[in-house]
Amino acid sequence: DVKVTQSSRYLVKRTGEKVFLECVQDMDHENMFWYRQDPGLGLRLIYFSYDVKMKEKGDIPEGYSVSREKKERFSLILESASTNQTSMYLCASSFSDRGTDTQYFGPGTRLTVL
Amino acid sequence: SQQGEEDPQALSIQEGENATMNCSYKTSINNLQWYRQNSGRGLVHLILIRSNEREKHSGRLRVTLDTSKKSSSLLITASRAADTASYFCAIEIYNQGGKLIFGQGTELSVKP
């Protein structure tokens, strides 16, 4: 079974803090993704990565950065957290299989920025 | 937006009834996928239908795809209380392999 784990289920941070969200997958997947989920807005893609040290901007990258130093680990960084970044953050991974990629999700991190 | 749009936003039915959810999109796709999310958890993949397929079954799930109308439907037959969850469609856009665009979801409530 594919397992995608996220470092925290719940996180509370203060405005201006630097926040690290970690995601680890154990199935040697090439692709990894970070989404945020907000009521009424569905899932929105923040950043994704097709390989180690590679990153691509998604639909809403502003205020975020990512790091992928190892294939199994994809980190999302909030350089200076703001209250509008309070959200549920979901990490996912997939195996590149041209035209039939399915994504495996972690349990999510609910981040509150005060 | 190329985003999949789902209809209805919320659906409440009795156990044993069928549940139908619809998804529409605006662009050419490689495939369309359906995911399920239990409250406060991550998403779980249910079923994938390729752009050259019209219908697919998996257990109590039936998915149809009409690429001429750019729409898909998910049917859950003989629903159970445990089917209560949010259901999302996601499209993989043609020539943008690996990246999915998710709809806003349908919240299904199945009452015992």
Side-chain angles (χ1 to χ4, degrees):
Chain A
D1 268 1
V2 176
K3 193 155 187 186
V4 180
T5 56
Q6 294 183 229
S7 48
S8 307
R9 288 299 318 278
Y10 300 94
L11 208 51
V12 179
K13 294 291 182 182
R14 298 213 172 269
T15 301
E17 278 193 79
K18 190 169 186 175
V19 182
F20 292 87
L21 302 182
E22 304 284 339
C23 176
V24 178
Q25 50 92 6
D26 67 357
M27 279 302 289
D28 205 33
H29 283 173
E30 290 89 355
N31 305 329
M32 296 189 76
F33 307 84
W34 274 106
Y35 298 90
R36 65 176 281 177
Q37 184 178 23
D38 301 286
L41 297 177
L43 275 76
R44 292 180 292 168
L45 183 63
I46 305 171
Y47 266 97
F48 59 106
S49 169
Y50 287 143
D51 204 346
V52 177
K53 297 196 186 294
M54 290 182 65
K55 60 184 178 185
E56 301 273 351
K57 291 181 180 179
D59 300 319
I60 50 163
E62 296 79 18
Y64 303 95
S65 62
V66 289
S67 171
R68 192 161 181 207
E69 295 297 317
K70 294 185 177 181
K71 192 174 186 179
E72 68 270 18
R73 188 180 296 270
F74 193 35
S75 302
L76 180 69
I77 304 154
L78 287 65
E79 294 289 342
S80 177
S82 63
T83 55
N84 63 13
Q85 292 178 310
T86 291
S87 186
M88 171 73 119
Y89 289 87
L90 292 164
C91 173
S93 70
S94 71
F95 175 67
S96 276
D97 190 16
R98 297 188 181 276
T100 58
D101 295 10
T102 61
Q103 294 188 9
Y104 296 84
F105 282 80
T109 295
R110 189 166 292 281
L111 172 67
T112 302
V113 182
L114 301 174
Chain B
S1 164
Q2 298 158 338
Q3 183 179 11
E5 297 191 2
E6 298 187 57
D7 168 55
Q9 290 187 333
L11 181 60
S12 183
I13 59 174
Q14 295 294 132
E15 238 179 355
E17 293 180 342
N18 295 341
T20 300
M21 289 159 264
N22 303 297
C23 173
S24 61
Y25 56 92
K26 295 180 181 178
T27 187
S28 296
I29 61 173
N30 287 332
N31 64 67
L32 185 144
Q33 305 180 29
W34 287 89
Y35 288 78
R36 166 194 167 126
Q37 183 182 34
N38 285 71
S39 180
R41 308 295 296 185
L43 278 71
V44 175
H45 178 259
L46 293 176
I47 195 164
L48 178 152
I49 186 164
R50 291 183 173 84
S51 60
N52 61 355
E53 296 176 314
R54 293 295 165 257
E55 189 169 313
K56 207 157 180 185
H57 296 254
S58 176
R60 292 184 296 114
L61 305 180
R62 181 170 79 98
V63 169
T64 61
L65 179 65
D66 186 335
T67 51
S68 66
K69 294 183 179 176
K70 291 187 167 52
S71 68
S72 173
S73 68
L74 170 68
L75 168 68
I76 304 174
T77 60
S79 62
R80 305 166 182 167
D83 294 328
T84 294
S86 293
Y87 292 82
F88 294 86
C89 70
I91 56 172
E92 184 179 297
I93 296 171
Y94 181 70
N95 274 348
Q96 292 187 30
K99 183 179 152 184
L100 296 179
I101 308 293
F102 284 83
Q104 294 181 8
T106 293
E107 219 171 291
L108 174 66
S109 174
V110 181
K111 299 188 188 314

